[in-house]
Amino acid sequence: MKQTLYLILFLFMIATTQSQNQTPDLKILAFSKTAGYRHGAIPQSLIALGQLAEQNNWKIIATEEGEIFTPENLSSFDLVIFVHTTKDILEADQQEALKDYVENGGGLLALHTGADTEYDWPWYVEAIGASFVGHPPSQQGKLIIEDRSHPATAHFPDSTWVVTDEWYSFDRNPREDVHVLISIDEDSYEVDDNRWFEGAQQRIGDHPLVWYRLVGKGKVFQTALGHEPELYHNPLFLQHLKGAILWTATEE
C-alpha cells in the first residue's frame, strides 16, 4: 500500500513539475533596426531575450535586416518583437508583409520604443495606439498596475511598482482604443521636464505606459518600459517581458 502511495505521489510530483515548466514552443523574430536614436540597452535586451528563449525552449532569431519581412518568412514566426526600434525601419513591401502577418493572426510586441517607430505609417500608429513626443531624464516613478490578471502583470506582488526608467509621453491617451495594463502616476516624477524635447507637452494626466489591443486576428502588445539596461536583470521586469511574449505569441 505504501509503495502504491509513494508511486502516486511521485507521479503527481512529475506531472506538477512538467505543467509548471511547460511553455509552448515558440519561434520569435527579434528586430532591432534603428533609423533614429539608438538605445544603449539593445545588447542587454537581446541577451535577456536569448536567455528567456533558452529557459523556455523557444527559438529566437535576432536581426536588423528588413529583408526578412516577407510573407513567407513571417509565416514561420509566432511573434515579432520590435526591440528598441526607432523611426522608419521598413520599406513599403516589408510594411505590407507585417500588416498582413498581424491581421491574419500574428503577434507584434513593441519593446520600449514602439511609439517612436514608423510615425508616417498610419496602420502601424493605429495598431500601436499612440506616437512618442518626449520624456524627461530617467528617474524613479510609481507605476500603477491596473490589471493584475494578465500574464504580463500577474506576477506583481502589489498594485504599484516604484522603479527607475525613462518615462515616455505620447501624442494622445490611447485608453479608449486599447486595454491598459500599467500606467504611471505623473505626480511621482518630473513629467514636465522636457529639456530634450522643447515645446513637447509631456503631461497627459491619465498616463498609460503598457497596453495591448487586438488587430484583425492578431495581437499587438506595447510596453514603454525597458530603457534602462539594469532592468534586464530585474526579475519583475523579466517576468513582465516573458508574460508579454507568451500572451502575444499564442492564440489563447
Side-chain angles (χ1 to χ4, degrees):
M1 187 70 172
K2 282 186 178 180
Q3 288 180 335
T4 302
L5 179 60
Y6 290 154
L7 178 60
I8 292 173
L9 288 173
F10 178 67
L11 292 174
F12 175 76
M13 290 171 63
I14 291 176
T16 302
T17 301
Q18 288 177 338
S19 65
Q20 288 175 343
N21 293 335
Q22 188 173 15
T23 58
D25 293 336
L26 300 177
K27 186 178 179 183
I28 299 168
L29 173 61
F31 190 61
S32 55
K33 182 178 179 179
T34 57
Y37 182 81
R38 188 167 181 85
H39 282 70
I42 289 177
Q44 289 88 347
S45 304
L46 294 175
I47 290 171
L49 288 170
Q51 291 172 339
L52 285 174
E54 184 177 2
Q55 293 163 8
N56 294 281
N57 197 34
W58 302 335
K59 182 177 181 181
I60 188 164
I61 294 176
T63 184
E64 298 195 355
E65 300 298 327
E67 290 77 10
I68 198 169
F69 285 84
T70 68
E72 182 180 5
N73 289 338
L74 291 180
S75 67
S76 69
F77 291 100
D78 300 292
L79 177 67
V80 174
I81 304 179
F82 276 7
V83 183
H84 301 281
T85 54
T86 53
K87 301 300 186 285
D88 298 329
I89 54 172
L90 297 177
E91 302 294 337
D93 59 332
Q94 298 163 2
Q95 291 177 347
E96 192 64 25
L98 179 61
K99 174 179 177 290
D100 290 346
Y101 167 77
V102 172
E103 291 187 342
N104 286 290
L108 173 63
L109 194 165
L111 176 57
H112 183 49
T113 60
D116 190 25
T117 299
E118 293 289 351
Y119 291 85
D120 298 324
W121 182 14
W123 178 87
Y124 177 84
V125 173
E126 182 179 356
I128 289 295
S131 292
F132 167 81
V133 296
H135 62 73
S138 291
Q139 59 193 281
Q140 191 176 86
K142 184 171 78 172
L143 299 180
I144 302 165
I145 316 300
E146 297 191 18
D147 182 351
R148 294 168 66 196
S149 66
H150 191 277
T153 52
H155 63 286
F156 284 104
D158 201 351
S159 59
T160 61
W161 184 32
V162 177
V163 66
T164 296
D165 204 3
E166 183 180 78
W167 309 120
Y168 270 20
S169 290
F170 310 101
D171 65 345
R172 73 202 77 172
N173 183 341
R175 186 179 292 274
E176 291 186 2
D177 301 312
V178 303
H179 185 93
V180 176
L181 296 177
I182 300 176
S183 58
I184 189 165
D185 179 356
E186 288 188 342
D187 292 333
S188 69
Y189 73 106
E190 298 295 331
V191 63
D192 296 316
D193 183 347
N194 63 354
R195 67 183 73 176
W196 295 321
F197 303 92
E198 185 177 354
Q201 174 53 259
Q202 296 180 171
R203 182 174 293 274
I204 302 174
D206 172 28
H207 196 138
L209 284 178
V210 180
W211 61 78
Y212 69 81
R213 71 184 308 173
L214 304 181
V215 178
K217 298 178 181 179
K219 300 176 181 178
V220 175
F221 191 103
Q222 149 71 21
T223 177
L225 310 182
H227 173 82
E228 291 300 314
E230 292 78 10
L231 280 173
Y232 296 92
H233 303 282
N234 185 306
L236 287 177
F237 179 74
L238 291 174
Q239 187 60 39
H240 167 66
L241 192 53
K242 177 183 175 181
I245 289 170
L246 285 170
W247 182 84
T248 313
T250 57
E251 294 182 359
E252 294 182 3

